Amino acid sequence: MRNKCGKPDCPAPKGLCLEHASPDYQKCDYWLGKKTGQSVEEQKEAKKTAQSLPWTGEPFQPTDIEIVSQRSVPLIIGMVGGADAGKTSYLGMLYTLLFNGNKFKHWSFAGSCTLAAWETLAQYLRIQPDGNVAFAPPTPSNPDFYSLYHLALKREELFRDVLFVDSSGEVFKLWAEDIHDPNAENAQWIYENSNAFIFMVDSVALTKRRGAAKSEIVQMAEQLAANLKGRPVAVVWSKADKIENIRENIRRALEEDLALVFGNSQVFEVSNFPKPIPDTLCHENNPAVVEYLLEKLNEPKIIRLIPQVSISDDLLFNYRGSYGSE
Amino acid sequence: MVVNDSILIVGQPASGKTTFIAQFLTRVKKRKSSIKLIKIPENIKAITNAIKRLSTGEEPETTPAYQNVELVIPINVDGKNIDLVFPDYGGEQVNAMIDLMEINENWQKLVTCSDRWIHFIRPHEITPEYDLSISSYDEIKTEKNTAFKNPGLSNQSKFIELLQILLHTKNKGIKHPISIPKLSIVLTCWDELNTNGKPVQVLREKLPMFLHFIETVWEKEAFEILGLSAQEFPLKTQEAKDKYLDELPENIGYMIDQEGVKDKDITKLVKIALQL
């Protein structure tokens, strides 16, 4: 269970101790309750009757999915792409846009069980007092790292819990070469459990590392397409404000390869650096990616029923009910 | 479904809950209201201090964090006798709920027993965040952060989280539009905003995602957005304090209805909440 410092607005233990501006919050008098005026007995009394809520606001782990799966079948959207392709920043921008009043065209926002997690992502797109923007650090690449971000969305009577699964690009690189790599277990989990995918293509990597970047992207795309079983994929060119810098032949070759691998998946271009504002690359295309996948997932599926024809000689097994004789 | 008339006022510290309750009681006592007081509340400890301070032209103090006093005001609204239950509590408790993600027994009782919630928000205290989606950029350092920061929740997320916690505690799902509890969002200290807009416009400008959340989750007829200035002006200067001493607190303060119309009768806020 989480605990909290008694000093108003002190972020410990999540952040630095406000009183001493250090991580040693446990030595602080406020933390120890000496200065809050509330005795230990009172604190205990308050604790005893408190009921913890099922969600914490932090990213979901796979075991947390049951928090929302009781009310609907959650849709899991896997973020796939190499290191620094912009998976985490894409999610940060999605939340930032909602935060500032942008909406999906057909879906409306009905809350989230991972608000604190979204806020952390969005924090990296905020302009700091010094005028800089410091992007999110690389997502941890250990194979047991899972980070699921939740949105509850509604479209008229339709209700959906959507979970975006983020993971490190390093892990996906390993997975693209060997899906059974023990160091890429989480990538394989994402692959097996997602209902849809956002496949990120890094425009800047293609400019800098040209053919080498392209071959990595194609390898990952092929691995993703290998066992899709009809699950929709949105191909998203990130950092698209710099897409013109990619060599024309590389860009065209990759477009052809991806079209070959994913068939008629829709292709989007997104950027986190809108100019002017609003900018199609950011304000329209970012939410459009999610909306496209949701539409795909809500399309009625063709189910091919195979009628069972009885081949038994036994009258009992051949009995089809009274209507059979009518 | 029958709606009970118990009103729960929720709000963070310094959102103006106590000032409103003190002003409400002073007004119904003086019959300066469309709502009539049936009998003097048995226990007004929760707001004695606030009433005393206002009558001397001082701003009421923030309620201590761990104070819990229930103020029951028996009133008559349009011929109907209603017991208004104002739980007065330190607004810190609301923050603690969001920070610790747990809800204590007292709050569980308050939330389950009330079918009308009034959520006090002081919009002037909300500072905008500047991010890449609203500010154009020419030159930017795109270096990666080295440490994973934890910024703490923004006001907007806190308000959403609070309503999610209250709904969960009341066992209300969000799959179908909510008709009970009725929700009134009251934007307090309206005077600080210097605006002629409607309350809903102010909320859309200040907390668009929060409004989006409410519009999605609640039935259209089950929520409303209002404005309130229980104190009318800050009591910082001697001049302002003198005005309170001269004109008496019960003549000061106003509310803004959904259409943006000003009304000196702040007790109407309760009346409107009861009509939802």
Side-chain angles (χ1 to χ4, degrees), chain A residues 19-128:
Chain A
E19 181 74 2
H20 301 101
S22 85
D24 288 338
Y25 60 87
Q26 278 153 323
K27 293 180 189 156
C28 174
D29 280 352
Y30 280 102
W31 177 264
L32 296 170
K34 289 181 190 164
K35 286 197 176 175
T36 48
Q38 199 194 18
S39 71
V40 179
E41 250 59 74
E42 282 171 324
Q43 284 181 11
K44 273 188 190 159
E45 189 59 34
K47 277 251 142 47
K48 202 171 66 186
T49 56
Q51 179 202 331
S52 286
L53 294 151
W55 75 99
T56 64
E58 300 299 332
F60 272 12
Q61 299 302 301
T63 46
D64 295 325
I65 294 175
E66 64 181 43
I67 295 171
V68 292
S69 64
Q70 290 163 359
R71 65 181 182 197
S72 79
V73 179
L75 297 176
I76 300 179
I77 297 182
M79 306 294 300
V80 182
D84 204 27
K87 300 181 292 296
T88 308
S89 297
Y90 169 83
L91 292 175
M93 183 51 87
L94 178 68
Y95 178 79
T96 299
L97 290 170
L98 282 172
F99 189 91
N100 290 325
N102 296 269
K103 293 177 179 177
F104 294 109
K105 275 203 183 89
H106 302 291
W107 294 82
S108 41
F109 169 71
S112 163
C113 292
T114 60
L115 281 172
W118 284 113
E119 290 265 314
T120 308
L121 293 185
Q123 175 73 8
Y124 296 114
L125 301 176
R126 297 230 173 103
I127 295 159
Q128 304 302 316

Side-chain angles (χ1 to χ4, degrees), chain A:
Chain A
M1 188 160 57
R2 283 200 284 170
N3 214 328
K4 190 187 176 284
C5 178
K7 187 177 170 69
D9 295 328
C10 176
K14 287 196 276 177
L16 292 182
C17 163
L18 192 64
E19 181 74 2
H20 301 101
S22 85
D24 288 338
Y25 60 87
Q26 278 153 323
K27 293 180 189 156
C28 174
D29 280 352
Y30 280 102
W31 177 264
L32 296 170
K34 289 181 190 164
K35 286 197 176 175
T36 48
Q38 199 194 18
S39 71
V40 179
E41 250 59 74
E42 282 171 324
Q43 284 181 11
K44 273 188 190 159
E45 189 59 34
K47 277 251 142 47
K48 202 171 66 186
T49 56
Q51 179 202 331
S52 286
L53 294 151
W55 75 99
T56 64
E58 300 299 332
F60 272 12
Q61 299 302 301
T63 46
D64 295 325
I65 294 175
E66 64 181 43
I67 295 171
V68 292
S69 64
Q70 290 163 359
R71 65 181 182 197
S72 79
V73 179
L75 297 176
I76 300 179
I77 297 182
M79 306 294 300
V80 182
D84 204 27
K87 300 181 292 296
T88 308
S89 297
Y90 169 83
L91 292 175
M93 183 51 87
L94 178 68
Y95 178 79
T96 299
L97 290 170
L98 282 172
F99 189 91
N100 290 325
N102 296 269
K103 293 177 179 177
F104 294 109
K105 275 203 183 89
H106 302 291
W107 294 82
S108 41
F109 169 71
S112 163
C113 292
T114 60
L115 281 172
W118 284 113
E119 290 265 314
T120 308
L121 293 185
Q123 175 73 8
Y124 296 114
L125 301 176
R126 297 230 173 103
I127 295 159
Q128 304 302 316
D130 61 3
N132 283 324
V133 175
F135 272 77
T139 309
S141 59
N142 38 318
D144 55 356
F145 178 87
Y146 293 91
S147 206
L148 283 75
Y149 299 86
H150 170 248
L151 283 185
L153 297 174
K154 278 188 91 171
R155 179 177 181 167
E156 286 144 28
E157 290 301 296
L158 200 58
F159 178 91
R160 286 289 189 199
D161 283 300
V162 184
L163 293 162
F164 297 90
V165 204
D166 195 16
S167 77
S168 117
E170 301 294 336
V171 173
F172 264 105
K173 204 181 154 201
L174 295 175
W175 174 85
E177 285 158 14
D178 173 10
I179 62 166
H180 300 299
D181 190 319
N183 290 317
E185 272 177 20
N186 45 0
Q188 182 59 10
W189 184 91
I190 293 173
Y191 189 56
E192 283 172 3
N193 290 283
S194 294
N195 302 87
F197 298 94
I198 295 179
F199 184 76
M200 303 294 275
V201 178
D202 184 346
S203 302
V204 170
L206 283 166
T207 310
K208 286 187 184 155
R209 294 175 41 240
R210 295 154 300 182
K214 183 204 162 251
S215 95
E216 280 172 20
I217 292 167
V218 173
Q219 174 63 31
M220 205 177 283
E222 284 169 346
Q223 198 63 274
L224 181 64
N227 205 7
L228 264 184
K229 293 179 182 155
R231 292 177 290 177
V233 178
V235 177
V236 177
W237 292 64
S238 63
K239 309 170 195 175
D241 49 320
K242 302 205 173 72
I243 204 165
E244 300 302 328
N245 300 345
I246 305 173
R247 283 179 65 96
E248 189 53 36
N249 64 322
I250 291 181
R251 187 176 161 188
R252 211 174 323 114
L254 181 57
E255 280 169 352
E256 282 168 16
D257 286 354
L258 291 178
L260 213 61
V261 174
F262 292 128
N264 52 0
S265 287
Q266 199 163 325
V267 180
F268 297 86
E269 293 178 5
V270 302
S271 161
N272 290 336
F273 296 99
K275 342 173 198 189
I277 286 167
D279 184 341
T280 318
L281 289 181
C282 175
H283 297 81
E284 278 181 34
N285 291 3
N286 182 305
V289 172
V290 178
E291 198 134 26
Y292 162 73
L293 292 176
L294 288 175
E295 296 311 304
K296 280 274 169 199
L297 289 169
N298 282 305
E299 272 173 10
K301 292 206 173 53
I302 301 163
I303 300 169
R304 292 192 178 83
L305 291 175
I306 304 162
Q308 264 197 335
V309 183
S310 172
I311 43 160
S312 172
D313 292 332
D314 193 316
L315 279 174
L316 179 75
F317 293 118
N318 282 335
Y319 182 62
R320 291 283 167 271
S322 57
Y323 61 88
S325 56
E326 280 168 14

